[in-house]
Amino acid sequence: MSEAEKTSENSDLSPSTHFAFQHKIFGVKGAYFKLTHDSKEPAFFVELGEMKGAIPVRSICQEFGIDKDSTDAELLGTISSSLKFVKEIHPNDSIPTEILDGSASWSIEEIHKQIARGRITMQLISWLAGSEEIITNIGELESIANDPHTKDKVQKAFKEIADKLGITKDDVVEKVDDVIRELSFIEALRDHYSQIKKISTNIDKLRTVYKRDRGMMEDLSRIHTLIEPVINNFERSFDQIDAQTCEVLTILKNFDPTIDHIRKTRDDLHQRFMIWDDMINGWKNLQPEEDPEVERQLKATYRFLAQNFIQSQSWRLGNV
């Protein structure tokens, strides 16, 4: 595609759905927006010869004479909130759908939809029996789904709920489908979280592996102290969203606020998980055993935790 064709294509993009900037500074090859490594401030990164410069987003209008009432200025105002959902933004990228309509801009797998549907199905059946409960274990959910009586019980629950709420059965089915779709993203995040939890579990196992190595035990103790409150906070977030979506009738009575709350929790967890990608990849093929590669990853883990999760304690990991 020629430069003229690219320019023509870009001019067709709407600033209501894309970062369709007009100022020539945003046309610099390879330029992008990202949070700075140290202060986590939104910045515009451009190549300056062999070096890369970072211009704070808050300074761009003044630095390049961009009218504060212009479309470019408005789009710059959207950059900060958008970087909560994506790691990098390039000029002409789509604005995240979280900003546009509240839906998730990232995809999930079919298994997560199945888990969410199984969970809600179980809640409907148990509600019908008079004792609602939450099940997230995939084996138990599959057993329920394969029960030949499940479909009849669900249809009966739909009808009784419709009668209680004074709406049609079709309305109930539609709302339940919406809830399942939103909870599917929570299940995807729960799955992703299991990989973070595995890092914490590996740390605990390594404390047994290195129990005779005083230096390593001190390092592992420091890492454990840093990661434990992080894991507890994640667990608390999942417990809270489970508790607040455990009663189908209550969900449907407060449908819009519940959907908003699920999305807020989804966005919060997704943002908190984004910084863990490198850590997850670093531990991916490692086993909790005495190994130089494991020890290198432990040092990287400490640096990551110390940088991102400030604690009242202050110490250094040996030879970091």
Side-chain angles (χ1 to χ4, degrees), residues 5 9 77-78 103 143 155 184 190 199 243 249 259 281 286 304:
E5 288 174 321
E9 181 182 273
T78 307
S103 62
S143 176
Q155 292 302 315
S184 296
R190 198 192 305 271
I199 295 174
L249 196 60
I259 294 298
N281 289 332
L286 297 180
F304 166 77

Side-chain angles (χ1 to χ4, degrees), residues 117 119-132 144 149-176 247-250 252:
R117 182 168 295 280
R119 169 185 158 179
I120 294 298
T121 297
M122 181 59 206
Q123 286 178 233
L124 286 165
I125 292 173
S126 59
W127 174 82
L128 196 63
S131 58
E132 206 162 343
I144 294 166
H149 301 294
T150 292
K151 186 175 180 179
D152 291 339
K153 291 178 181 178
V154 168
Q155 292 302 315
K156 185 177 179 181
F158 283 153
K159 186 177 185 310
E160 291 198 15
I161 289 173
D163 291 342
K164 281 184 174 292
L165 296 180
I167 59 178
T168 68
K169 181 181 171 183
D170 287 344
D171 287 337
V172 173
V173 173
E174 183 178 347
K175 288 180 182 294
V176 167
E247 297 180 353
V248 174
L249 196 60
T250 301
L252 298 182

Side-chain angles (χ1 to χ4, degrees), residues 71-89:
T71 300
D72 277 2
E74 186 177 340
L75 287 172
L76 286 171
T78 307
I79 288 291
S80 298
S81 54
S82 296
L83 284 173
K84 294 178 181 179
F85 308 109
V86 292
K87 293 181 178 180
E88 289 186 7
I89 295 171

Side-chain angles (χ1 to χ4, degrees), residues 46-53:
V46 293
E47 292 183 3
L48 304 171
E50 295 182 356
M51 299 180 65
K52 186 170 290 185

